[in-house]
Amino acid sequence: MDSINVLDRAHYLTLWSRFGAYDRARLDRLVYERRLLFEYWAHAACLVPTGMLPWWRRAMLDYRVRHTGWSDLVRRNSKVLGEVTATVSARGPMGSADFAGRRPSGRSGWWSWKPVQHALHYLWMTGALTIHSRRHFHKRFDLLERSIPAAIDCAAVSTQEFQRWHLERSLHAMGAATERDLAGYMTFPRFPRGARVAALRDMIERGEVTEIEVDGSRDRWLALTRDLPALSRAGRTPAASRGTTLLSPFDSLLWYRDRIARLFGFDYRIEVYTPGHERVHGYYTLPILHHGQLIGRIDAKSHRTERRLEVRHVHFEPWLATTGKSPAGEGPVDRDEALSGLAEAFRSLGAFVGGDEITLRRVTPRRLRAPLARALST
């Protein structure tokens, strides 16, 4: 969940990447009406399945103990916390703007929040409140038990169960991972290394996790035992994943940049917070995933009033324009097929964000602009 809306919100783009154009209102209903998903913090603000509430309940309960940086804030604003909880309880869903209060002077960023904003965030993270809905993307909070009645009788799992579940979720998402990957993927909550090692050792002894070898790597790789048949089948499949799509900068696949660099030979940085004159690839760049390989990135913007999608710059990886062979060791990429797939992804993205017209600006290397423009016009 991210507020940047140069193309669309990150969670909407993440689903589009996998399924193509869809009705956003249907997703909103699943989250804010049917409550099949709810907003909480995983490696960032995310949508998580409500069926996993017993595990996230543990994270909520531990938050007040684990994040001691809040201690001073809670001590100085205990009255505010009580008043916010009581007001939401009495009045129902509320946003920060519904509360009176002034921002601290002379501060910026997170510290410029008014006390009520800090209180709402803390009460959300500790499970007293949840995000009931959004209005113009602004959060509206309500009591967790009132928004998600199942939370009333939802007992939290133990800390040890949560740590094993946390590792299980990460391993299942990545397929196979090193210990470094596990530390860098689902980064909330952060466990001490000793606790993670102990939990992994326990899961290996239980037969839930198996150590595997990965060709060309000296690292210790791990996988869920139950996932080994699927990994074996994937290893025997001669063809890689098929299709072309664009990934949100906040996509879980990209979250741990070091893993992406090791597996795909793709160095990715989001440059939203980089001064304009220092940006290399653009403000909000979306990596291009083609047939299981990351072949480049695009900087694009949706001009909503004009119903136009502007592709400001397409940066292909240098290897694509020369040998066509990825540094990850995969076979050569058919450039014409890649350009055709990218053009189709542009059309799908344009349909999704309301861009009836697609404007293609710069392409690097320049010699690929003409064939990409032709593919886009067909």
Coordinates of all heavy atoms in Angstrom, one line a residue, residues 35 38-39 60 123-124 127-133 140-145 147-148:
R35 N -14.1 -8.2 4.0 CA -13.0 -8.4 5.0 C -12.2 -9.7 4.8 O -11.8 -10.3 5.8 CB -13.6 -8.4 6.4 CG -14.4 -7.1 6.7 CD -13.6 -5.9 6.8 NE -14.5 -4.7 7.0 CZ -14.0 -3.4 7.0 NH1 -12.8 -3.2 6.7 NH2 -14.9 -2.4 7.2
F38 N -7.1 -7.7 5.1 CA -7.0 -6.4 5.9 C -5.6 -5.8 5.8 O -4.7 -6.5 5.4 CB -7.4 -6.7 7.3 CG -6.4 -7.5 8.1 CD1 -5.6 -6.9 9.0 CD2 -6.4 -8.9 8.1 CE1 -4.6 -7.6 9.8 CE2 -5.5 -9.6 8.8 CZ -4.6 -9.0 9.7
E39 N -5.5 -4.6 6.1 CA -4.3 -3.8 6.0 C -3.5 -4.0 7.3 O -4.0 -3.8 8.4 CB -4.5 -2.3 5.8 CG -5.1 -2.0 4.5 CD -5.1 -0.5 4.2 OE1 -4.1 0.1 4.5 OE2 -6.1 0.0 3.7
M60 N 1.0 -8.1 16.6 CA 0.3 -6.9 17.2 C 0.6 -6.9 18.7 O 1.0 -5.8 19.3 CB -1.2 -6.9 17.0 CG -1.6 -6.8 15.5 SD -3.4 -7.1 15.3 CE -3.5 -7.0 13.5
L123 N -1.9 2.5 17.7 CA -3.1 1.7 18.0 C -3.4 0.7 16.9 O -3.9 -0.4 17.2 CB -4.3 2.6 18.3 CG -4.3 3.4 19.6 CD1 -5.3 4.5 19.6 CD2 -4.4 2.6 20.8
W124 N -3.1 1.1 15.7 CA -3.2 0.2 14.5 C -2.2 -1.0 14.6 O -2.5 -2.1 14.5 CB -3.1 0.9 13.2 CG -3.0 0.1 12.0 CD1 -3.8 -0.9 11.6 CD2 -2.0 0.2 11.0 NE1 -3.4 -1.5 10.4 CE2 -2.3 -0.8 10.0 CE3 -0.9 1.0 10.8 CZ2 -1.5 -1.0 8.9 CZ3 -0.1 0.8 9.6 CH2 -0.4 -0.2 8.7
G127 N -3.0 -3.5 17.3 CA -4.2 -4.2 17.1 C -5.5 -3.7 17.9 O -6.5 -4.4 17.9
A128 N -5.4 -2.5 18.5 CA -6.5 -1.9 19.1 C -7.5 -1.4 18.0 O -8.7 -1.5 18.1 CB -6.1 -0.8 20.0
L129 N -6.9 -0.9 16.9 CA -7.7 -0.4 15.8 C -7.2 -1.1 14.5 O -6.2 -1.7 14.5 CB -7.5 1.1 15.6 CG -7.8 2.1 16.8 CD1 -7.5 3.5 16.4 CD2 -9.2 1.9 17.2
T130 N -8.1 -1.0 13.5 CA -7.7 -1.5 12.2 C -8.1 -0.4 11.2 O -8.9 0.5 11.5 CB -8.3 -2.8 11.9 OG1 -7.7 -3.4 10.7 CG2 -9.8 -2.7 11.6
I131 N -7.6 -0.6 9.9 CA -8.0 0.4 8.9 C -9.4 -0.1 8.3 O -9.4 -1.1 7.6 CB -7.0 0.5 7.8 CG1 -5.7 1.1 8.4 CG2 -7.5 1.4 6.7 CD1 -4.5 1.1 7.5
H132 N -10.4 0.6 8.7 CA -11.8 0.2 8.3 C -12.0 0.4 6.8 O -12.7 -0.4 6.2 CB -12.8 1.0 9.2 CG -14.2 0.9 8.7 ND1 -14.7 1.7 7.7 CD2 -15.2 0.1 9.1 CE1 -16.0 1.4 7.5 NE2 -16.3 0.4 8.4
S133 N -11.5 1.6 6.3 CA -11.8 1.9 4.9 C -10.8 3.1 4.6 O -10.1 3.5 5.4 CB -13.2 2.4 4.7 OG -13.6 3.4 5.7
R140 N -9.2 5.4 7.4 CA -10.2 5.6 8.4 C -10.2 4.4 9.3 O -10.3 3.3 8.9 CB -11.6 5.8 7.7 CG -11.7 7.0 6.8 CD -13.0 7.1 6.0 NE -14.1 7.4 6.8 CZ -15.2 6.7 7.0 NH1 -15.3 5.5 6.4 NH2 -16.1 7.1 7.8
F141 N -10.0 4.7 10.6 CA -9.8 3.6 11.6 C -11.1 3.3 12.3 O -11.9 4.2 12.6 CB -8.7 4.1 12.6 CG -7.4 4.3 11.9 CD1 -7.0 5.6 11.4 CD2 -6.4 3.3 11.9 CE1 -5.8 5.8 10.8 CE2 -5.2 3.5 11.4 CZ -4.8 4.7 10.8
D142 N -11.2 2.1 12.8 CA -12.2 1.6 13.6 C -11.7 0.5 14.5 O -10.5 0.0 14.3 CB -13.4 1.1 12.8 CG -14.7 1.1 13.7 OD1 -14.7 1.5 14.8 OD2 -15.7 0.6 13.1
L143 N -12.4 0.1 15.6 CA -12.0 -0.9 16.4 C -11.8 -2.2 15.6 O -12.6 -2.5 14.8 CB -13.0 -1.2 17.5 CG -13.4 0.0 18.5 CD1 -14.4 -0.4 19.5 CD2 -12.1 0.5 19.2
L144 N -10.7 -2.9 15.9 CA -10.5 -4.2 15.2 C -11.6 -5.1 15.3 O -12.1 -5.7 14.3 CB -9.2 -4.8 15.7 CG -8.8 -6.2 15.1 CD1 -8.5 -6.0 13.6 CD2 -7.6 -6.8 15.8
E145 N -12.1 -5.3 16.5 CA -13.2 -6.3 16.7 C -14.5 -5.9 16.0 O -15.3 -6.8 15.6 CB -13.4 -6.6 18.2 CG -12.3 -7.3 18.9 CD -11.2 -6.3 19.3 OE1 -11.3 -5.1 19.0 OE2 -10.2 -6.8 19.9
S147 N -14.7 -4.1 13.1 CA -14.5 -4.2 11.7 C -14.4 -5.7 11.3 O -14.9 -6.1 10.2 CB -13.2 -3.5 11.2 OG -13.4 -2.1 11.4
I148 N -13.7 -6.5 12.1 CA -13.4 -7.9 11.8 C -13.9 -8.7 13.0 O -13.2 -9.0 13.9 CB -11.9 -8.2 11.5 CG1 -11.4 -7.2 10.4 CG2 -11.7 -9.6 11.1 CD1 -9.9 -7.4 10.2

